[in-house]
Amino acid sequence: MNEPNNTQTQSPADLLTRWYAISDENPGLRARDAAAQLGVTEAELVAARCGDRVIRLTGPWSDLIKTLPDLGTVMALTRNNHAVHEKTGSFDNIQLFPPMGLVLNQEIDLRIFLNHWHIGFAVTEATEQGDRHSLQFFDADGTAIHKLYLRDPTKQQSFDQLVKTFAHTDQTPGLTISASTPPAQELADDDIDQEGLRRGWAALEDVHDFHQLLTKHGAGRVQALRLVGEEFAQPVVLDAFQTTLTQAAETTLPIMIFVGNPGVIQIHTGPVYHLKRVGGWFNVLDDGFNLHLVEESIASAWVVRKPSRDGTVTSLEIYDHDNQQIALMFGERKPGEAEREDWRQLLSTVNLTGASVT
């Protein structure tokens, strides 16, 4: 169980004063980066503005999510420490069975884990284009889980009604958060039943059973990739994700890009077109879809093959220095369909690292 974080000593007013000072020195500084500079979480920084164009929200979050179609076109943003995934579209085809949930629209495609949705705010920010309205949700430790930005000005009344319905009774500035839970300690390689892991992997019938397989054997994700053998996982060069995106853009090959955190996985399906490197970030800058990837954060990259009832499903996966997942890429595919041959062909051209995986 998380313990309360009692290390914060500055008042919300003092925090705001420091925030405004560094914002004046760094115009355009994002709240997440400002929070890091100030030694607080992003949720604490937002909460310091409660009563000043920030309204604290309350759940049930599943009930709030059901009202999101009323907002029309929004920009949905999901990120982790190394990748930001932005999709513009509308919420539709929402399926909620707490603590899980699905949004299965072509544009907004999410997997939701509500046990990580603890804190919410409605935020209004002044920009050169006018006021920008958003809903922002955070984990118990103050880490951002998901954000929605209103894109349709004709839906302002719906936004205001949603905020009124889910406004918390306590709008006092400030926030008490919980300490982060460290990742579970992995077993030593020798303590993993490696043959059992390989047999279980070979017997997979649904890619969604993969997490259960890892849990059964007590293996971390990258650890399992190292141990399972080249039939199922091969290490590739660190820039494989960017190279594959570039080649997919050149051929307009439809792909799927997954970026997630403990509370949400967000998916883009379709071709990508406009790619650009800017200051250490590798970016997809398309209408309706933006991806921002910190290149130096990639510590390992893998081509991964999982059996399924529809045949082998192949992914390109990247991980950080703590073996935490940054992003996944697949060829576009629907359940019941075999994997695209052009996607397999593209991955066959990715350079291996030459490192042993056993």
Side-chain angles (χ1 to χ4, degrees):
M1 181 175 179
N2 291 340
E3 296 296 331
N5 178 359
N6 298 315
T7 61
Q8 183 177 347
T9 58
Q10 54 192 317
S11 69
D14 290 340
L15 181 56
L16 284 180
T17 298
R18 296 179 62 210
W19 183 15
Y20 295 150
I22 66 170
S23 296
D24 288 342
E25 296 173 0
N26 303 275
L29 183 67
R30 296 183 182 275
R32 184 184 181 98
D33 298 327
Q37 290 189 31
L38 294 169
V40 298
T41 67
E42 187 177 356
E44 289 173 285
L45 195 58
V46 176
R49 285 183 52 206
C50 270
D52 178 19
R53 312 193 87 193
V54 170
I55 298 174
R56 180 180 285 109
L57 304 175
T58 188
W61 304 120
S62 56
D63 290 349
L64 186 151
I65 291 168
K66 291 175 185 176
T67 70
L68 295 179
D70 297 339
L71 301 184
T73 301
V74 298
M75 190 273 277
L77 185 154
T78 298
R79 69 166 300 159
N80 52 47
N81 287 334
H82 315 293
V84 185
H85 192 292
E86 303 172 359
K87 286 287 288 184
T88 300
S90 59
F91 274 70
D92 199 3
N93 196 14
I94 298 172
Q95 303 174 25
L96 295 168
F97 31 93
M100 303 286 291
L102 303 171
V103 181
L104 297 173
N105 217 14
Q106 175 65 23
E107 297 89 4
I108 308 295
D109 188 357
L110 307 176
R111 309 296 176 263
I112 298 171
F113 309 97
L114 287 165
N115 52 329
H116 288 279
W117 290 50
H118 289 272
I119 305 161
F121 301 98
V123 179
T124 300
E125 302 163 279
T127 73
E128 293 181 356
Q129 293 74 38
D131 284 346
R132 179 173 62 187
H133 304 279
S134 63
L135 303 175
Q136 304 188 13
F137 303 96
F138 300 85
D139 209 335
D141 64 1
T143 303
I145 291 296
H146 191 61
K147 299 180 182 180
L148 298 174
Y149 291 85
L150 192 66
R151 284 288 187 260
D152 185 346
T154 69
K155 298 297 183 179
Q156 184 65 52
Q157 186 173 352
S158 297
F159 181 90
D160 293 342
Q161 181 58 54
L162 183 154
V163 173
K164 181 179 179 181
T165 300
F166 292 96
H168 202 290
T169 55
D170 181 7
Q171 296 296 329
T172 306
L175 178 69
T176 299
I177 62 167
S178 299
S180 300
T181 302
Q185 197 72 19
E186 290 184 358
L187 296 175
D189 287 357
D190 290 343
D191 293 331
I192 301 290
D193 178 5
Q194 297 181 28
E195 288 304 317
L197 175 65
R198 293 187 185 102
R199 287 195 302 270
W201 195 306
L204 285 170
E205 295 185 347
D206 190 319
V207 293
H208 297 101
D209 296 333
F210 182 62
H211 178 73
Q212 183 179 349
L213 175 69
L214 298 186
T215 301
K216 176 181 177 180
H217 290 279
R221 193 157 186 142
V222 172
Q223 184 180 37
L225 300 182
R226 286 194 293 103
L227 297 177
V228 73
E230 292 188 1
E231 177 185 1
F232 298 117
Q234 292 178 290
V236 294
V237 292
L238 295 185
D239 66 352
F241 201 90
Q242 302 93 302
T243 299
T244 302
L245 270 176
T246 300
Q247 293 175 333
E250 290 172 352
T251 60
T252 65
L253 172 66
I255 56 177
M256 303 176 74
I257 301 176
F258 293 60
V259 168
N261 57 52
V264 174
I265 297 171
Q266 185 163 300
I267 305 165
H268 164 77
T269 300
V272 295
Y273 300 99
H274 303 104
L275 312 181
K276 186 175 184 180
R277 280 189 170 89
V278 180
W281 293 81
F282 187 86
N283 306 280
V284 179
L285 303 174
D286 289 342
D287 291 340
F289 174 53
N290 282 190
L291 175 73
H292 312 291
L293 174 65
V294 183
E295 295 191 271
E296 67 178 12
S297 296
I298 302 171
S300 68
W302 299 80
V303 170
V304 182
R305 301 175 182 89
K306 302 186 187 78
S308 79
R309 297 183 188 91
D310 304 324
T312 299
V313 177
T314 314
S315 57
L316 178 57
E317 309 188 0
I318 50 176
Y319 294 85
D320 67 13
H321 293 273
D322 295 319
N323 291 334
Q324 298 299 302
Q325 190 177 93
I326 299 174
L328 307 177
M329 193 188 320
F330 296 81
E332 180 178 2
R333 189 185 73 89
K334 294 182 179 179
E337 295 180 352
E339 185 168 71
R340 299 176 62 98
E341 190 57 40
D342 49 1
W343 167 247
R344 290 183 179 176
Q345 180 61 36
L346 175 55
L347 286 189
S348 73
T349 68
V350 175
N351 291 327
L352 304 180
T353 64
S356 171
V357 297
T358 59

